[in-house]
Amino acid sequence: MAESTIITGQFVRISQTPASIGERFLALVIDYFLIGLYIFSTATLLSKLNLPSEFSWFFFLCVVYLPILGYSFLCEMFNHGQSFGKKLINIRVVKVDGSTPSIGSYLLRWLLFPIDGPITSGLGLLVVLLNKNNQRLGDLAAGTMVIKEKNYRKIHVSLDEFDYLTQNYHPVYPQSADLSLEQVNVITRTLESGEKDRARRITVLAQKVQELLSVTPREGNQEKFLQTILRDYQYYALEEI
């Protein structure tokens, strides 16, 4: 599985590798085993308590049903994107850009889990197989992915790497500040690409950037134009720190 590298607007380089289908499945098996063990333990306890029937149902609802229903959501929200199974397999949920998911993101992927699996007979597995980040429907909707914990690295980038961002630097294209992090990553990957059609891709991308930002290049070639766009974006991102 290919490792992806992202540099955020806060100048943090993030390297992450999507978890494999096997790792995610094994984590799910562990979670289900733990849930089964929990059900068995609480059922045994309930049988020994000899509670009245009305209290038994209340006990079952509060102590068994609700915790199991919200197991994955609660674990991921309070345990940095990891259920117990994910923690044992060393994988966890993050946003696609490497940041920590919001409560809404965790909630959305939890709500869509039945559609990924039980209700649609494994539609989520098919979706995972068809995208490079191994994302199920819940991940795609929430903008999340499951990554290998051991390959996840956050490295604060020294400002010395941006030697052109001095007090004397004057941005050429203020519109570059409107670019999203994903768009900046596309430009960066294209410029760093070593593929044979690199020149063509740079030309096509430069034209799209010009149309998106409504700017006219001042540079003599498209590659220098994209490099300037990146410098300007980083200049404005640095101002926000």
Side-chain angles (χ1 to χ4, degrees):
M1 204 66 63
E3 180 180 278
S4 60
T5 299
I6 300 166
I7 297 180
T8 71
Q10 287 70 43
F11 294 99
V12 176
R13 181 186 291 119
I14 297 175
S15 298
Q16 56 192 24
T17 303
S20 67
I21 296 176
E23 288 169 321
R24 296 183 67 166
F25 178 75
L26 186 56
L28 191 62
V29 169
I30 293 173
D31 284 331
Y32 281 159
F33 172 77
L34 293 175
I35 288 173
L37 190 62
Y38 177 75
I39 293 174
F40 175 78
S41 301
T42 52
T44 301
L45 176 62
L46 183 61
S47 65
K48 292 183 178 181
L49 290 177
N50 293 319
L51 296 173
S53 58
E54 59 271 18
F55 286 106
S56 295
W57 281 108
F58 181 77
F59 180 90
F60 177 81
L61 178 66
C62 296
V63 181
V64 180
Y65 180 74
L66 291 179
I68 291 174
L69 182 65
Y71 168 79
S72 62
F73 168 66
L74 294 173
C75 281
E76 290 174 0
M77 185 174 67
F78 291 109
N79 196 34
H80 306 291
Q82 291 180 305
S83 64
F84 291 107
K86 287 185 176 69
K87 192 170 186 64
L88 289 173
I89 304 300
N90 289 320
I91 60 177
R92 73 182 179 110
V93 180
V94 299
K95 295 288 284 185
V96 173
D97 64 5
S99 61
T100 301
S102 64
I103 294 176
S105 296
Y106 287 131
L107 180 62
L108 184 56
R109 69 189 307 275
W110 172 72
L111 289 173
L112 290 177
F113 178 75
I115 298 177
D116 277 315
I119 294 179
T120 58
S121 301
L123 176 62
L125 177 60
L126 178 61
V127 175
V128 167
L129 292 171
L130 294 178
N131 70 83
K132 65 177 183 179
N133 287 330
N134 290 348
Q135 295 165 285
R136 60 178 176 85
L137 286 175
D139 288 318
L140 292 172
T144 59
M145 61 186 290
V146 181
I147 62 167
K148 297 183 179 183
E149 179 75 3
K150 64 180 180 180
N151 288 356
Y152 179 79
R153 300 192 303 276
K154 279 188 177 181
I155 307 170
H156 284 275
V157 180
S158 169
L159 295 183
D160 293 337
E161 294 187 28
F162 304 99
D163 55 354
Y164 46 79
L165 297 181
T166 64
Q167 292 182 351
N168 296 324
Y169 182 78
H170 299 288
V172 181
Y173 305 103
Q175 299 91 331
S176 63
D178 296 329
L179 290 171
S180 68
L181 180 59
E182 183 177 353
Q183 291 167 336
V184 170
N185 288 332
V186 170
I187 296 174
T188 302
R189 289 196 300 268
T190 302
L191 290 174
E192 293 177 349
S193 172
E195 298 181 12
K196 294 181 180 180
D197 63 342
R198 177 177 180 274
R200 182 190 64 80
R201 293 175 61 190
I202 287 177
T203 299
V204 172
L205 181 58
Q207 292 173 348
K208 290 183 178 180
V209 172
Q210 292 166 30
E211 294 174 2
L212 176 66
L213 300 180
S214 299
V215 298
T216 302
R218 302 182 187 180
E219 293 77 9
N221 65 58
Q222 306 286 34
E223 183 171 353
K224 288 184 178 179
F225 165 70
L226 292 179
Q227 290 171 345
T228 302
I229 287 291
L230 284 183
R231 292 190 184 102
D232 289 352
Y233 172 84
Q234 290 160 348
Y235 173 87
Y236 289 112
L238 184 59
E239 279 192 331
E240 296 176 359
I241 298 178

